[in-house]
Structures are given as C-alpha cells and as structure tokens.
Amino acid sequence: MKRTLALTFTAVGAALLVFAGGQTATAKAATTITVGASPVPHAEILKHVQPQLKKEGVNLKIKKFTDYVMPNKALLSKDIDANYFQHIPFLEDYNKKNKTDIVNAGAIHIEPIGIYSNEVKKLSKVKKGSKVLVSNNKPDWGRVLTILKDAKLITLKKGVKATDATFKDIAKNPKKLKFEYDFEPKLMPELLDKDEGTLVAINANYAVGAKLDPTKDAIALEKSSSPYGNIIAVRKGDEKKPAIKKLVKALKSKSTQQWIEKKYKGAILPVKD
C-alpha cells in the first residue's frame, strides 16, 4: 500500500512539474515579441525602448530587414509578431494587392522623403530634360510628385489626390523632366553617389543610413504635415494583445519622442496624436 501511494505521489509530482514547466514556457512566450524592422531608424528606435519594455515584462527581440517585401511576408507567416518599416498608404496598397488584412497598431514617426542632387542647389535651377530617379515603391510616388508640384516643376491632373498620384497623372511638365522609377528603395543613395540622375528621391531612413542629413543635404524635403506616418503593423486582432499595446505606448511616449527629435535632428519626426 505504501509503495502504491509513493508511486502515486511521484506520478502526481511529475505531472505537476510538467504542468508548471508548460505554464512557465507559455508565460515566457506571451511576454516575448519579435518585431521586424528596417535597420535605420526603425531598429534603432526599437532598441531605445527595449530597457523600458523589459521593466514592464516584455522581452523585445528585433529582426532586421533591408527591403520592403520580406517584413510583411514574415509577419503573415508568423515568423515575427509585428513589423515596423512601412507607412499607412504602403500598408493599404499591400493589403489591396495581396488580399491580406494586416492592421495598423499605431503610427510612430514620419520620415520626410527628400530630393537630392549633386548638380543643382535648388529645384528651380533644374535644366530641361533632366533625369529624375524615384524608387519602385509606388506609394511614395505621390509624395515625390507633390514636392515637384509645390516647386512648380509639374502640375497634376484635376481631381487626382496626391496620395494616389502616379507619373501618368502629370498634366504639365514644362521642363520635360524624364522620370525613371524602377529602382529598389535601398539603392537610391548609391544612385546619387554615381550621379545617375540630376534629381534623386530618397527615403529618410535610407538617407540617414547612407550618412546623409535630410535637413541639410536634401534640396527639397517633404513637409512635416505629411500623412505618411510609419507604423507598427500586426496581424488582425493582435493589436489588442497587452505586449503590443505596451510596445506602442513605449514608442509613443514623450521621452521616446524627445529622443527621436534629438537623435535625428529633424530628419525623423515623431507622430504626435
């Protein structure tokens, strides 16, 4: 009888250990999140809030991506829990094309796109027939066209929204600018270095990564009122998870906003709700 009881208690004890171990593993998985991000500035900003999140029980892991394709694929395949690299129009376009339902968990910062040149100091000095290089990132085309429109180098067709504008929507091009837009976004700084075009449009994250200062080196910069806020994107429903909410809260905190303003000196602007 005693032997039977001992065996029973041993079995129960083992079961409890297994259960407890399972509970510990589950708890750890629930407080560990992996976020895919562009190296600059996204991954840098995430690294900044790591200590703050750790105090709140969230273990933040950062996985870097150098393109605009893989982060959403990794999110959909559940290789990561969230990503931080894209703005809202980009996400909307991606969801429409791929029939997906990735959602915006919160807008964190704005990266003003800039026009750079090694030939001219002002857009007004651009000569006729000059080549304008733009990335193949379609959601950014309207941003570039808006800069050129504001500089009175082009006009757009009536009724076309800036966020939807493409190069086919150019109504007037008095300087006969030649547009090329089939380059990977990360290659734009290299094209500038090689003088491949008179004007080169570069996203702020790639500009900063290439040691360019958008506020000083760009001859024209997107206005800070731009609607292109870079967001934390997650699978539908995950925006309600406590760890994701803590992540967004930390990124939007006043201390993080001040850090962004100080570190990037206006090249990266925090979104203020």
Side-chain angles (χ1 to χ4, degrees):
M1 183 68 176
K2 291 181 179 180
R3 180 183 175 84
T4 302
L5 285 172
L7 289 171
T8 300
F9 285 129
T10 300
V12 171
L16 287 172
L17 286 172
V18 171
F19 178 74
Q23 287 287 83
T24 301
T26 301
K28 184 177 181 181
T31 56
T32 298
I33 57 174
T34 301
V35 180
S38 298
V40 180
H42 307 76
E44 293 178 341
I45 297 172
L46 288 173
K47 187 175 181 179
H48 174 74
V49 301
Q50 274 182 322
Q52 180 181 339
L53 289 171
K54 190 173 183 179
K55 291 178 181 178
E56 297 178 20
V58 178
N59 177 28
L60 172 62
K61 293 184 178 180
I62 305 167
K63 185 173 182 179
K64 297 179 182 179
F65 292 89
T66 58
D67 69 293
Y68 289 169
V69 177
M70 293 308 297
N72 278 337
K73 288 187 176 181
L75 180 61
L76 292 168
S77 63
K78 299 186 178 180
D79 291 332
I80 57 177
D81 301 293
N83 66 43
Y84 180 30
F85 79 100
Q86 62 195 320
H87 52 59
I88 298 170
F90 182 97
L91 175 61
E92 292 174 344
D93 184 66
Y94 183 90
N95 279 334
K96 184 178 180 180
K97 286 181 177 178
N98 297 280
K99 298 181 180 180
T100 51
D101 57 357
I102 297 173
V103 299
N104 167 20
I108 311 303
H109 76 270
I110 295 171
E111 298 175 15
I113 200 167
I115 305 294
Y116 298 77
S117 178
N118 292 325
E119 295 182 27
V120 295
K121 299 293 185 180
K122 297 180 180 180
L123 286 179
S124 59
K125 300 298 182 180
V126 174
K127 297 178 181 179
K128 280 190 175 183
S130 292
K131 189 185 297 184
V132 182
L133 307 184
V134 184
S135 81
N136 58 12
N137 185 31
K138 188 175 179 180
D140 284 345
W141 293 355
R143 303 170 72 181
V144 176
L145 291 172
T146 297
I147 294 174
L148 298 177
K149 177 178 71 69
D150 290 345
K152 299 182 179 180
L153 292 182
I154 63 167
T155 61
L156 297 175
K157 295 176 181 177
K158 290 183 179 180
V160 176
K161 294 181 180 180
T163 53
D164 299 327
T166 70
F167 298 100
K168 293 181 180 179
D169 295 313
I170 296 174
K172 293 182 180 179
N173 182 8
K175 290 203 172 185
K176 301 186 185 300
L177 300 176
K178 299 176 181 178
F179 294 92
E180 294 184 12
Y181 41 91
D182 57 352
F183 310 98
E184 288 294 323
K186 63 183 178 182
L187 297 178
M188 303 312 292
E190 184 179 336
L191 295 175
L192 176 67
D193 287 340
K194 292 181 178 180
D195 291 324
E196 295 290 338
T198 300
L199 303 179
V200 183
I202 308 177
N203 288 81
N205 60 321
Y206 289 118
V208 172
K211 307 302 181 183
L212 292 168
D213 183 338
T215 59
K216 295 179 180 179
D217 298 324
I219 64 171
L221 199 61
E222 186 177 22
K223 295 178 180 178
S224 60
S225 57
S226 167
Y228 292 82
N230 279 231
I231 62 174
I232 292 294
V234 297
R235 294 180 293 275
K236 189 174 183 179
D238 286 358
E239 71 275 16
K240 299 176 183 178
K241 289 185 175 181
I244 297 297
K245 285 186 175 181
K246 288 180 180 179
L247 170 65
V248 174
K249 185 177 180 180
L251 290 169
K252 293 178 73 67
S253 68
K254 187 175 181 179
S255 61
T256 302
Q257 289 184 339
Q258 291 175 338
W259 180 84
I260 290 173
E261 290 173 339
K262 183 178 180 180
K263 179 174 178 61
Y264 299 107
K265 300 176 181 178
I268 309 295
L269 305 172
V271 170
K272 297 182 179 180
D273 297 330

